[in-house]
Amino acid sequence: MFAVDVTQQEEARQRAHTLSMETRRLDARLRVLTETVPQITFSLDAEGLYEYVSPQWYYFTGQPPTADLNAIWPLLIHPDDRLRVLYQGDAARKAGKGWSYEYRLRRHDGQYRWMLSRALPELHAPDQPVFWHGALTEVHDQRELSDALRRGEAELRFLADSIPELIWTATAEGFIDYYNHYTGEYSGLTKEELGPTGWVNLLEPRKQAEAARQWVKSVATGEPFEGLFRMRRHDGQYRWHIIRARQLADERGPRWFGACTDVDDQHRLREVLQVQYDELARTNRDLDTFVYTASHDLKQPLFNLRGLFEELRRSASFDDPEEEQLLSMVDDSLHQLDSTLQELAATVQDQRGLSAPVEKLDLRHITDEVLLGLRAQIQASDATVHVEVTEAPTLLYGRANLRSVLHNLLSNALKFAHPERLPVITLRSYLSKNNKPVLMVQDNGLGMNIPKTSTAAFQPFTRQHPQIGGSGVGLYLVQRILTSRGGRLEVASTMGKSTTFTLYWFEA
C-alpha cells in the first residue's frame, strides 16, 4: 500500500479551477460590456481574419448571424474607401501596430455612414502581435457637421475676400489675427507687415493714440467700437473710413469682427452739400430781409401818398368833368399798391412755412376757420359754400400750409364771382383710386383761360381779370406749397361759367 502526498497538486488544481472561474466571470463581464456599448467591437487574428464581432454589427448592417464576416465585411465598405481601408489595415498588421481611420460603412437601410475604426494589437512573447482588438464608432453626424463648418468657413472667407472693404478679426485681447484680401490691396502691405495692430498704424499719426485708447476701452468692456478716421492708402493718400467692430462671444470665447468702410466720397459730398446749404440758407435769409425791408420802406411812402391824396381830396377842387373818375383811379391805385405790398410779405411768410412740420389735421375744422375769416366777403356777395369732407375728413399736412391753400382758393372764388349770379362754391375732399387724399374746389364764377402748359397759369403776378383787384400771386403760392410736399395742382375752367381746382396732396 502506497501513500503519495498530492497536497501541492490539489492546491494547484484548486487554484487553476478558481482562476478558470474568475476568467470565465471576467470574460462574461467583458462580453456584456462589449455588447451593450453603442459601438461595434471586433477581434482580428494575425492574418486579418475576424475572430469576433459584437451583435451591434449585425444590428447596424442588417446581416444574418450566419454571414461570413471575412467575405461580407469588405463588400459593405463604400467603394471609394474600400481599397484604402484594406491597405491601411494590412499595413498596420504587418508593422505590428494599431490603426485609426475613418471610412463609410453601409447600414441596413442602404445608407453609407461614416465610421471611426480604431484597433490595438495584443502582444504575446516574444512581443509578436497575435490579435487586434478594436471598435467601430459612428461619427457620421460629427463628420457632416465638421464638413459643413469647413465649407461655411471657406465660403465666409471667400465672401470676406470679395468685399471691397477692409475686413478683419481680432482675439479677445484685441490683437488682429485675420485680414481679408482687400486690406492688402488697399494698404499695399502684407499680413505680416500689418501685424496685430495693423489698422491703427494706417490712421493719421495724430489720430492713432486716440483710436488706440478707444479700441483698448472697447476690448476691456466689450462695448462696440465705432469711429470716423482717415486711413492711408497704398499711394499715400488718406481717405475717410467708418471703422466698426463688434464682439461675438460663444463657447470658444470672445472674438472681435471689424470692418473699415471707405466713405471718403460721401464725406466730401456731404461737406460740399453743407457748404451749398449754408449759402442757400444765407441767401434765403438775405432775400427775406430784403423783401421785408422793401415792404416796410415802401409802406411809409404809401402812407404819405395816402395822406396827401386825402388832403388833396378834402381841400382842393378841379374844374374838370372827369374829376371824380381821376380821383377814383388814384384811390384804386393806392389800394392796389397797398394790397400788393401786403400780399408780397404774406407770400414770403408762406414760403418760409413750406418746411413746417406735418400733423394730422381735421379738414372740416380748418375750413371753418378759413370761412370765418372770409365771413364779410361771403355775406357781402351772398355766397353759398358747400363743404363735403366726410369721405376724407383728415389730412397729414402742415397747418399753416393748409390754411394758406384754402384761403387762397376760397377767396379767389369769392373775388372772381360772376356779376349776374350769386356765387356757389363747393369744397369736396375724397380719395383717389390709389387711396390718396384729393381736394376739389369748384365755383360758378368768371372762369379763366387755361394755357397749353398748366404751369404757365400759375406764374407770379399773372392776372386774368385785370379789372378786379389782386396781385396775381395766390395760385402761384398754392402750387408752390403742393409741389414742395410732393403734390400737384390741376385746373379745369370754362370762361364765364365755372372753374374747378383739383389738389392732389401727394403724388399717386
Side-chain angles (χ1 to χ4, degrees):
M1 185 175 182
F2 296 94
V4 180
D5 187 356
V6 293
T7 302
Q8 294 181 350
Q9 291 87 332
E10 182 62 22
E11 290 176 349
R13 188 187 66 78
Q14 291 180 0
R15 285 196 300 271
H17 177 72
T18 302
L19 289 174
S20 177
M21 294 296 293
E22 183 65 18
T23 300
R24 284 197 294 269
R25 186 180 66 83
L26 293 176
D27 181 69
R29 179 181 294 180
L30 179 61
R31 187 175 294 273
V32 171
L33 290 175
T34 58
E35 293 180 359
T36 55
V37 295
Q39 291 176 311
I40 300 172
T41 57
F42 59 87
S43 295
L44 296 173
D45 61 15
E47 301 300 325
L49 300 177
Y50 285 94
E51 293 284 335
Y52 167 78
V53 65
S54 64
Q56 287 85 338
W57 187 86
Y58 299 101
Y59 301 149
F60 183 86
T61 63
Q63 298 298 318
T66 58
D68 185 352
L69 287 175
N70 296 297
I72 197 65
W73 194 306
L75 299 178
L76 299 179
I77 299 175
H78 194 282
D80 295 342
D81 303 332
R82 188 176 299 150
L83 293 179
R84 174 178 59 84
V85 171
L86 296 176
Y87 171 78
Q88 289 177 321
D90 290 341
R93 287 193 303 274
K94 290 178 181 178
K97 59 182 182 181
W99 67 75
S100 178
Y101 49 75
E102 295 180 2
Y103 66 89
R104 285 163 289 182
L105 186 66
R106 192 175 70 195
R107 199 167 58 180
H108 59 83
D109 57 0
Q111 182 181 2
Y112 286 95
R113 307 287 290 181
W114 281 99
M115 311 294 289
L116 172 62
S117 177
R118 285 180 176 173
L120 292 174
E122 178 185 331
L123 299 178
H124 288 199
D127 296 333
Q128 291 296 321
V130 178
F131 294 99
W132 274 263
H133 307 285
L136 279 176
T137 305
E138 184 176 354
V139 293
H140 190 85
D141 294 337
Q142 297 89 319
R143 178 69 179 254
E144 287 195 337
L145 179 59
S146 178
D147 290 343
L149 289 174
R150 282 194 296 269
R151 288 194 303 271
E153 183 179 357
E155 291 172 357
L156 288 176
R157 192 172 293 270
F158 177 78
L159 178 63
D161 287 336
S162 303
I163 295 175
E165 291 190 18
L166 285 73
I167 307 295
W168 47 273
T169 63
T171 63
E173 295 77 19
F175 297 111
I176 302 176
D177 55 4
Y178 165 76
Y179 297 97
N180 70 334
H181 182 69
Y182 182 78
T183 303
E185 291 183 354
Y186 181 87
S187 64
L189 302 174
T190 64
K191 296 180 180 180
E192 291 73 20
E193 291 172 332
L194 287 168
T197 58
W199 66 267
V200 178
N201 297 330
L202 295 177
L203 304 181
E204 294 179 276
R206 60 188 181 89
K207 290 291 185 179
Q208 291 182 7
E210 174 188 344
R213 287 194 298 269
Q214 186 177 345
W215 174 238
V216 170
K217 179 181 177 182
S218 294
V219 171
T221 61
E223 296 177 355
F225 176 92
E226 184 168 341
L228 180 63
F229 300 96
R230 295 174 63 199
M231 300 186 69
R232 186 182 67 251
R233 200 166 59 181
H234 59 83
D235 57 0
Q237 181 184 357
Y238 283 90
R239 296 181 61 83
W240 287 101
H241 283 73
I242 293 179
I243 303 178
R244 295 187 180 96
R246 300 291 186 272
Q247 186 187 72
L248 174 65
D250 54 20
E251 63 276 2
R252 294 177 296 177
R255 287 179 55 77
W256 288 87
F257 295 81
C260 306
T261 306
D262 190 330
V263 293
D264 191 78
D265 295 337
Q266 297 92 315
H267 187 80
R268 295 181 187 278
L269 178 60
R270 185 167 59 250
E271 290 180 340
V272 172
L273 292 177
Q274 185 62 45
V275 172
Q276 294 178 348
Y277 174 80
D278 293 340
E279 292 178 354
L280 182 60
R282 184 169 59 253
T283 302
N284 285 337
R285 289 194 299 270
D286 294 343
L287 180 60
D288 288 349
T289 302
F290 168 76
V291 171
Y292 278 108
T293 302
S295 176
H296 180 271
D297 292 345
L298 288 175
K299 281 183 178 180
Q300 188 60 44
L302 177 63
F303 292 152
N304 295 337
L305 287 174
R306 170 63 66 183
L308 291 173
F309 175 71
E310 293 298 334
E311 180 63 23
L312 181 64
R313 168 177 282 181
R314 185 184 63 81
S315 60
S317 61
F318 303 92
D319 187 12
D320 192 329
E322 298 181 356
E323 174 184 352
E324 288 300 325
Q325 182 179 359
L326 291 175
L327 292 176
S328 177
M329 291 174 61
V330 173
D331 192 30
D332 290 343
S333 298
L334 290 175
H335 278 296
Q336 181 65 36
L337 179 58
D338 184 37
S339 175
T340 300
L341 291 177
Q342 292 180 3
E343 293 189 10
L344 181 62
T347 299
V348 174
Q349 184 67 29
D350 288 336
Q351 289 281 75
R352 275 184 171 183
L354 291 179
S355 58
V358 299
E359 55 182 306
K360 189 174 182 180
L361 301 173
D362 187 316
L363 195 57
R364 179 76 196 209
H365 180 71
I366 301 296
T367 304
D368 289 343
E369 290 182 357
V370 173
L371 292 176
L372 182 63
L374 297 172
R375 182 175 55 182
Q377 293 93 314
I378 294 174
Q379 292 177 347
S381 61
D382 198 14
T384 301
V385 181
H386 301 287
V387 179
E388 303 170 5
V389 296
T390 54
E391 186 176 346
T394 60
L395 180 66
L396 192 64
Y397 221 67
R399 179 179 292 272
N401 296 158
L402 180 58
R403 286 177 56 87
S404 178
V405 168
L406 294 178
H407 182 273
N408 276 288
L409 293 178
L410 293 174
S411 62
N412 278 352
L414 294 170
K415 183 188 300 183
F416 299 106
H418 199 284
E420 298 179 359
R421 53 179 176 265
L422 296 178
V424 177
I425 305 170
T426 301
L427 185 148
R428 175 171 170 255
S429 177
Y430 61 94
L431 297 176
S432 67
K433 295 180 180 179
N434 296 323
N435 207 34
K436 299 288 185 179
V438 179
L439 180 69
M440 182 199 71
V441 178
Q442 187 178 53
D443 63 51
N444 63 340
L446 294 174
M448 57 188 297
N449 288 318
I450 308 300
K452 294 181 179 179
T453 57
S454 60
T455 55
F458 309 127
Q459 295 301 314
F461 308 110
T462 300
R463 301 176 61 196
Q464 296 229 357
H465 302 284
Q467 74 277 11
I468 299 177
S471 60
V473 298
L475 292 181
Y476 167 74
L477 181 59
V478 171
Q479 183 192 35
R480 284 279 296 166
I481 292 174
L482 288 173
T483 55
S484 70
R485 295 191 178 274
R488 73 180 191 276
L489 174 64
E490 292 183 357
V491 58
S493 181
T494 302
M495 285 296 293
K497 292 185 177 181
S498 67
T499 302
T500 302
F501 293 95
T502 305
L503 288 74
Y504 296 88
W505 299 111
F506 310 103
E507 192 64 49

